Amino acid sequence: MPQIHFLDVTNRDGVQTARTGLSKFGKTMVNFYLAKLGVAQSEIGFPFLFHEVPYVRAQVALAEAGAFGGLRLSGWCRGVAADVERAAPLGLRHYNLSISTSDYMIQNKFRGRLDRDAIVREMTAAVRAAKDAGAETVGVNAEDGSRTDTGFLVEFALAAKEAGADRVRYCDTIGGDTPGRIRERFAELASATGMPVETHCHNDLGMAVANSVSGALGDLEAGQDAWVNTCVNGIGERSGNADLLSTILAFRHGFGLEAKDAEIGDPLDLSWARRFGLWASYAFGQPLPYNQVGVGRNAFAHESGIHADGALKDHGNYELYDETTLGPFPADWHDRAGRVVLTGEYGGKAGFRHVMEGLGAEVRDEDLAFRVVQLCNAMTGRPLTDDELRLIAAHPRELSLLFPGYETC
C-alpha cells in the first residue's frame, strides 16, 4: 500500500525566513526533535556552502552515533553538478537538487541563460554526480512547478528518473495552487512518471496545509508513496510553509481521510510536539500565535458559556483530538522562578555539575561537555534548554565538530 512520509525542510527553507535566524546548534536541535517525532527525513541545509561544512560534519557524526535514530539527513543543492561535487566529501547519503522549470522563471529569472533543454541537461548532470558520489536517494526539485506546464514537468521528471533520481518535488513556490488543482496535477504527474511526487507548498493564500494534503492524496491515487515537505510552526519565506504538526494532524484526524486511503509510513510520536513547537518559538525568537494549531495557548482553551459547558462535560464535544497526545509543555531549568543556578558561556564547573546533576544527565567527557555548553551558549546568545543540555551531555565530541579547533580540547 502506498504510504505518506514527511520530509521536513525547516533547516533549509525555514531558516531562510526573513527577519529571523537559527544558529548551527539550533539547526542541530531541529534534527534532534524531528528524530524524536519520528519524521522520515530532514533537509538539513546547504552542504556546498563553506559555513555549513562544520555543521554538516557534526550532523553526520551525530547520526552515526545514534543521536538521530532513523532520521535520514539530506542536503539541498542547486541543480548543478558543481554543488554536488563540493558537498559529496561530507558524507550525506540523500540529496534534493533544485532548478527552476517554469517559462516565467526561464524568461524573468534566467533571462536567456538557460532554456528547457539546458535545464534538463544541468539537472541530469547533477543527479548523476550525486549517484556517482554514493547517494542512496536523490530528489529533483521543479522550482515554480505550479506555474510549469504538465508536459514539461513530465519530461523533466522522466529525464531525472533515467539519470537515477528517486522522486520529483513539485514546488508551489509562490503559493498560488489550490487543493483541487494540485491533487489532479499530482495524480497526473505520478501516473505519467511512475515516481513519488513531493509536495512543497507555501502559504501565501493560507492553503499550504490543504494543498499538501491534497497533493499527497493525488500521489496515493496514482499508486505512489507521498512525500510531504513541512516546517515547524509553519515558518518559511514570506507567509511560510506547510506546518508540520497541522499536516500530521490533518492526515490523522481529517474527516474523509480514512486510514486505508492515507496510511502514514513514519513511526510518529506526537508526545514531542509541544516541546518542539515551544522550543522552536524560543530559538527562532518568533512568538507563537495564540491560535497556533496544537501548541498555541488557546488551542484547547474554552470560555464562552456553551463551549465551556460542553467541554466540562466531555472535551470531545468541542475538541477534535486529545491534547494529551501532544505531550507536556516544557518546564525548563533556565525558566525557573526565584533562586536558580544556571550553566552557560561564563559559568564555571560547579554550576555546570549542579545543573547536569539536577537534570539527571549522564555526562560523557565532562571537560569537553563543559566547553561545548559554553560554546553553544555563546553561539545561541540565550540560556540553553534542558533538551539541549542533555544532548550536549550525551554527545559532546560529535557536537564539538560545530566548532573547528575545539574537537580535541
Side-chain angles (χ1 to χ4, degrees), residues 25-343:
F25 181 56
K27 293 181 68 171
T28 303
M29 290 304 299
V30 169
N31 294 328
F32 168 84
Y33 281 115
L34 291 173
K36 292 295 186 183
L37 278 170
V39 168
Q41 188 162 318
S42 171
E43 191 164 86
I44 69 169
F46 309 88
F48 60 94
L49 293 180
F50 76 94
H51 60 81
E52 292 270 78
V53 169
Y55 155 74
V56 174
R57 286 179 175 148
Q59 305 317 293
V60 172
L62 285 161
E64 290 174 350
F68 299 147
L71 180 71
R72 302 199 306 189
L73 307 180
S74 59
W76 184 99
C77 294
R78 295 171 298 180
V80 295
D83 279 9
V84 177
E85 290 162 357
R86 194 174 295 118
L90 298 178
L92 290 172
R93 291 290 174 260
H94 308 278
Y95 287 92
N96 269 86
L97 312 177
S98 186
I99 195 165
S100 306
T101 56
S102 69
D103 288 341
Y104 190 98
M105 287 199 171
I106 288 172
Q107 178 179 344
N108 297 293
K109 178 180 174 181
F110 294 140
R111 296 190 173 183
R113 186 173 61 85
L114 296 176
D115 59 14
R116 285 184 167 185
D117 289 341
I119 286 168
V120 171
R121 286 197 304 270
E122 292 272 14
M123 176 272 299
T124 53
V127 171
R128 291 189 183 100
K131 286 292 188 173
D132 289 345
E136 295 173 16
T137 65
V138 175
V140 294
N141 303 355
E143 187 188 26
D144 210 20
S146 55
R147 288 194 293 185
T148 304
D149 67 82
T150 301
F152 184 55
L153 279 177
V154 171
E155 178 186 345
F156 176 84
L158 288 175
K161 183 178 182 180
E162 184 178 354
D166 302 277
R167 297 192 301 274
V168 60
R169 178 181 290 178
Y170 174 106
C171 301
D172 185 20
T173 301
I174 60 171
D177 234 325
T178 52
R181 178 180 186 268
I182 199 170
R183 183 169 181 167
E184 289 179 5
R185 299 201 85 199
F186 268 59
E188 185 175 1
L189 185 56
S191 295
T193 62
M195 297 173 72
V197 185
E198 287 185 27
T199 73
H200 184 87
C201 298
H202 283 264
N203 205 40
D204 299 77
L205 296 179
M207 292 193 287
V209 171
N211 285 336
S212 296
V213 172
S214 294
L217 293 177
D219 267 322
L220 299 179
E221 286 176 9
Q224 295 294 326
D225 285 350
W227 287 77
V228 181
N229 287 185
T230 59
C231 284
V232 63
N233 296 343
I235 64 168
E237 295 169 303
R238 303 183 315 278
S239 296
N241 294 71
D243 173 44
L244 171 61
L245 180 58
S246 300
T247 309
I248 293 172
L249 291 171
F251 282 117
R252 282 195 168 180
H253 301 287
F255 299 142
L257 299 182
E258 301 295 338
K260 64 181 176 62
D261 298 322
E263 181 179 71
I264 296 174
D266 301 348
L268 298 176
D269 179 3
L270 289 188
S271 68
W272 286 84
R274 281 177 169 153
R275 286 166 72 174
F276 188 18
L278 273 292
W279 173 89
S281 172
Y282 175 66
F284 276 101
Q286 291 192 351
L288 283 174
Y290 272 33
N291 64 341
Q292 181 75 23
V293 171
V295 297
R297 291 189 67 182
N298 278 1
F300 298 92
H302 309 276
E303 181 178 336
S304 68
I306 293 174
H307 281 238
D309 176 70
L312 287 168
K313 291 172 179 172
D314 184 327
H315 66 79
N317 284 320
Y318 287 100
E319 294 174 8
L320 179 61
Y321 48 90
D322 189 344
E323 59 103 10
T324 61
T325 62
L326 305 180
F329 287 100
D332 280 3
W333 186 281
H334 73 84
D335 208 28
R336 295 181 176 188
R339 182 181 296 115
V340 62
V341 174
L342 305 178
T343 184

Side-chain angles (χ1 to χ4, degrees), residues 341-352 370-384:
V341 174
L342 305 178
T343 184
E345 181 179 2
Y346 299 107
K349 277 285 185 70
F352 169 81
F370 174 56
R371 287 179 179 270
V372 172
V373 163
Q374 293 177 312
L375 290 165
C376 288
N377 184 213
M379 177 186 274
T380 62
R382 55 169 179 73
L384 299 178

